[in-house]
């Protein structure tokens, strides 16, 4: 690839040692090895109130939502690692997506940071289901937001034993799955970022 795709990586949990955070760590390293320019952020640095249209009407889009929206817009692609809460998307992640989906302008100019953005998804859980219910729900939400979600995904089961002391996956097949996802995301991000409008 002649230019280096810029990929934004974050997890849907702020918990110390969260499986989603550890999965995002592996995604960050894999993307870099495959030639991506990676920015890793934490949603903890973008604290947001619960989505509230009355609040939006009174005060506008929260500044942290605008900061996160600009981060997404500044990158060619996004990779999200989600945990699974009660069979679905964690509220921290869903709330961030909902706020960003409300962004329409920035400094008076049209601004739709999610529309058309190439996105890769990972999930993880303590059990054998590997967060696949959450990743399916998240995919549906992001497609509804007009994001370009790539088909490959990396779902990590048995989180307690999925990661070695070095932070890598203990199962080589999981690393192959991550590499396939990351390679596809990089290729898609490069293709769409260089496409003539």
């Amino acid at each position: 690839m002649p230019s280096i795709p810029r990929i934004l990586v974050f997890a849907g949990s702020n918990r110390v040692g969260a499986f989603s955070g550890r999965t995002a760590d592996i995604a960050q390293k894999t993307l870099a090895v495959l030639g991506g320019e990676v920015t890793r952020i934490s949603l903890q640095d973008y604290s947001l109130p619960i989505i509230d249209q009355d609040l939006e009407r009174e005060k506008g889009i929260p500044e942290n939502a605008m900061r996160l929206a600009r981060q997404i817009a500044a990158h060619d692609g996004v990779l999200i690692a989600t945990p699974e809460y009660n069979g679905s998307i964690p509220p921290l992640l869903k709330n961030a997506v909902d706020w960003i989906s409300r962004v329409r302008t920035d400094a008076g100019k049209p601004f739709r940071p999610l529309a058309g953005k190439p996105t890769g998804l990972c999930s993880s859980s303590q059990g054998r289901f590997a967060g696949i219910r959450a990743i399916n729900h998240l995919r549906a939400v992001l497609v509804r937001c007009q994001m370009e979600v790539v088909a490959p995904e990396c779902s990590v089961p048995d989180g307690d034993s999925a990661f070695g002391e070095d932070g890598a996956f203990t199962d080589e097949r999981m690393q192959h799955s991550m590499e396939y996802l990351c390679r596809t995301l990089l290729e898609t991000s490069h293709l769409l970022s260089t496409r003539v409008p």
Side-chain angles (χ1 to χ4, degrees), residues 118-149:
T119 307
L121 300 180
C122 301
S123 65
S124 56
S125 75
Q126 190 166 352
R128 290 296 303 163
F129 286 114
I132 58 174
R133 293 167 294 190
I135 206 171
N136 287 337
H137 291 177
L138 180 58
R139 181 179 294 273
V141 168
L142 299 184
V143 168
R144 182 67 181 83
C145 293
Q146 300 181 337
M147 298 186 85
E148 192 74 31
V149 185

Side-chain angles (χ1 to χ4, degrees), residues 37 48 55 59 61 75 81 117 165 167 191:
E37 181 182 319
L48 289 165
L55 177 64
K59 298 187 177 180
I61 302 291
H75 289 78
K117 186 65 63 176
E165 291 184 3
L191 178 65

Side-chain angles (χ1 to χ4, degrees), residues 8 17 20 29 34 49 54 69 76 95 105 109-110 113 121 125-126 129 137 144-145 169 175:
L8 183 70
S20 58
K29 293 175 184 176
L34 292 174
D54 288 336
D76 301 311
N95 191 56
T105 61
K109 298 179 181 179
L121 300 180
S125 75
Q126 190 166 352
F129 286 114
H137 291 177
R144 182 67 181 83
C145 293
F169 288 129
Q175 183 57 38

Side-chain angles (χ1 to χ4, degrees), residues 151-179:
E153 55 191 46
C154 182
S155 294
V156 183
D158 301 322
D160 284 334
S161 59
F163 308 93
E165 291 184 3
D166 60 354
F169 288 129
T170 55
D171 185 341
E172 189 176 342
R173 293 171 298 178
M174 290 308 308
Q175 183 57 38
H176 291 324
S177 176
M178 179 65 81
E179 288 171 3

Side-chain angles (χ1 to χ4, degrees), residues 84-103:
E84 182 174 283
Y85 287 13
N86 294 319
S88 192
I89 310 167
L92 174 71
L93 177 56
K94 181 63 163 59
N95 191 56
V97 171
D98 287 344
W99 269 121
I100 298 167
S101 73
R102 301 293 298 173
V103 174

